[in-house]
Amino acid sequence: MKKIAIIGDRFMLPDVFRDKIVEACGDGHEIRLLEQPWPDVPMEHGYAVEGMDGLKEYLGKPDEIVRFIGDAEILVTQLAPLSRTMLADLPSLKLVAVSRGGPVNIDMKAARDAGVRVVNTPGRNASAVAEFTIGAILAETRLIRVGHEALRRGEWRGDLYRADRTGRELSEMTVGVIGYGNIGTKVVRLLRAFGTKVLVHDPYVQLSAEDRNAGVEHVSLNELLERSDVVTLHPRVTEETKNIMNAETFAKMKPGAIFVNTARGPLCDYDALYENLINGHLASAMLETFAVEPVPEEWPLLKLPNVTLTPHIAGASVRTVTYAAEMAAEEVRRYIAGLPPVNPC
């Protein structure tokens, strides 16, 4: 029998974790549950809290988390932090399954030093984000936001049927996808169904045979920016990709193009985007992630009429919850069975 501590929240529900673990591992284990109040309470970042340096996007007071985990050998969580000091107080802990793409809430060096196996769930929300991205693109290309906002004001925009004002179909457009990982590959597949010409920039991977045979092109960043009617971001945040969209790269985009960011805020220089939206170089933008979250009320991009905004919800879907829990449960099963992990960190 293993002692398993589950720290879920109001998205990654503790009951779902437990049910998936019981399905995968049987019900002969001691399982304790804790629910954190995220997303109703915002996450924290370690740079603002003594002893939590380097940890990001976590929730929970260290003493309370340590007390709850106690003598558990296995921890399953999305947001609970684990610092070096906390790990030192958890000598029984041997496995941490983090139900997210990257274990940014865990001190990975400290975990390795303590002999704690950390696993994650990459791609857990890839389908959700890809699907959301297509909706984001369509909101701009087919003037869904423009028509919606006008009607909310009591204004009937019949003029949007004019040939010089109406939107364009994806079947006649070129969309540039920056980043060809779990999400980017799914975005490409969905775009192909519309008959869209798709360009991909990712210097570290090659196109699949299926995409290559379907006419998807693997191009340089400059070529993608110059040719694309829509540019959508999907790389991971690294030193190389931080502010990949900046004053220089925005200037290289096609005049009248559309910019979409459903990935991460640090990928974009939002001041430069603002300038390109107000000077007319870019037609519009759809933004789902931001440099600071929640967004300040006086942020200039909130005031622009040619911007659609959502509060970082692209990865939120019912299927994401169950899929991530299934992935975490499989890692728990493999640990108990003495098998190597599927997704070690």
Side-chain angles (χ1 to χ4, degrees):
M1 181 187 76
K2 300 294 185 182
K3 293 183 178 181
I4 303 172
I6 296 174
I7 304 178
D9 47 63
R10 293 171 186 168
F11 175 59
M12 290 303 309
L13 300 172
D15 289 349
V16 176
F17 276 133
R18 179 197 58 205
D19 292 348
K20 295 300 181 182
I21 289 172
V22 170
E23 286 178 18
C25 308
D27 59 2
H29 303 286
E30 181 183 314
I31 300 177
R32 64 189 75 142
L33 307 180
L34 176 67
E35 181 179 290
Q36 296 182 306
W38 186 83
D40 299 324
V41 172
M43 292 181 282
E44 302 177 53
H45 298 277
Y47 55 75
V49 181
E50 185 177 356
M52 305 295 277
D53 292 345
L55 304 191
K56 296 183 290 185
E57 299 181 6
Y58 67 84
L59 187 64
K61 295 180 179 179
D63 290 348
E64 294 177 1
I65 298 296
V66 168
R67 188 160 52 248
F68 176 77
I69 297 170
D71 61 351
E73 184 175 342
I74 298 169
L75 169 65
V76 179
T77 189
Q78 176 177 228
L79 298 177
L82 283 177
S83 66
R84 181 174 292 276
T85 301
M86 294 171 70
L87 285 163
D89 290 334
L90 295 167
S92 298
L93 190 63
K94 300 302 178 186
L95 173 70
V96 178
V98 183
S99 64
R100 59 199 305 179
V104 295
N105 49 321
I106 310 296
D107 185 330
M108 286 303 302
K109 186 177 187 306
R112 294 188 188 101
D113 292 346
V116 176
R117 177 194 291 183
V118 179
V119 295
N120 66 337
T121 57
R124 64 165 188 158
N125 60 7
S127 180
V129 176
E131 184 178 287
F132 190 96
T133 299
I134 300 303
I137 293 171
L138 289 170
E140 302 305 309
T141 60
R142 298 309 311 279
L143 308 183
I144 295 171
R145 168 184 47 80
V146 174
H148 167 78
E149 291 185 350
L151 274 178
R152 296 273 290 194
R153 296 191 302 267
E155 181 181 355
W156 183 266
R157 290 291 306 273
D159 63 303
L160 296 179
Y161 224 105
R162 288 176 45 154
D164 62 343
R165 295 184 186 176
T166 196
R168 298 175 62 191
E169 296 182 26
L170 286 176
S171 60
E172 61 168 343
M173 302 180 77
T174 298
V175 175
V177 178
I178 299 176
Y180 191 67
N182 286 319
I183 296 170
T185 53
K186 286 180 168 57
V187 171
V188 170
R189 189 175 305 122
L190 292 173
L191 286 168
R192 284 171 39 206
F194 287 87
T196 309
K197 176 62 183 178
V198 182
L199 308 179
V200 169
H201 172 71
D202 191 323
Y204 298 104
V205 295
Q206 297 298 314
L207 296 180
S208 68
E210 179 184 356
D211 283 342
R212 193 168 55 249
N213 293 337
V216 178
E217 295 183 43
H218 194 269
V219 299
S220 69
L221 179 59
N222 285 346
E223 183 176 350
L224 180 146
L225 297 172
E226 292 166 1
R227 292 175 57 189
S228 297
D229 300 300
V230 179
V231 172
T232 179
L233 290 184
H234 301 288
R236 292 189 67 82
V237 177
T238 65
E239 288 304 314
E240 185 178 1
T241 61
K242 282 181 181 176
N243 278 353
I244 189 171
M245 295 307 300
N246 51 52
E248 181 181 354
T249 46
F250 280 126
K252 291 177 180 177
M253 286 180 64
K254 212 174 178 180
I258 295 166
F259 174 71
V260 176
N261 185 8
T262 60
R264 289 289 181 180
L267 298 170
C268 178
D269 179 342
Y270 286 102
D271 292 337
L273 174 61
Y274 178 83
E275 292 300 321
N276 280 274
L277 287 166
I278 62 171
N279 68 20
H281 178 61
L282 299 182
S284 67
M286 194 287 168
L287 307 175
E288 147 74 0
T289 59
F290 309 93
V292 177
E293 297 180 2
V295 177
E297 290 183 10
E298 297 304 314
W299 194 48
L301 280 159
L302 291 177
K303 315 299 181 183
L304 294 186
N306 55 343
V307 179
T308 301
L309 307 111
T310 51
H312 204 154
I313 55 173
S317 73
V318 172
R319 177 54 182 154
T320 295
V321 176
T322 57
Y323 184 46
E326 288 165 3
M327 295 175 75
E330 173 60 13
E331 295 287 7
V332 172
R333 185 194 71 79
R334 294 179 70 85
Y335 170 80
I336 293 173
L339 299 172
V342 178
N343 295 298
C345 298

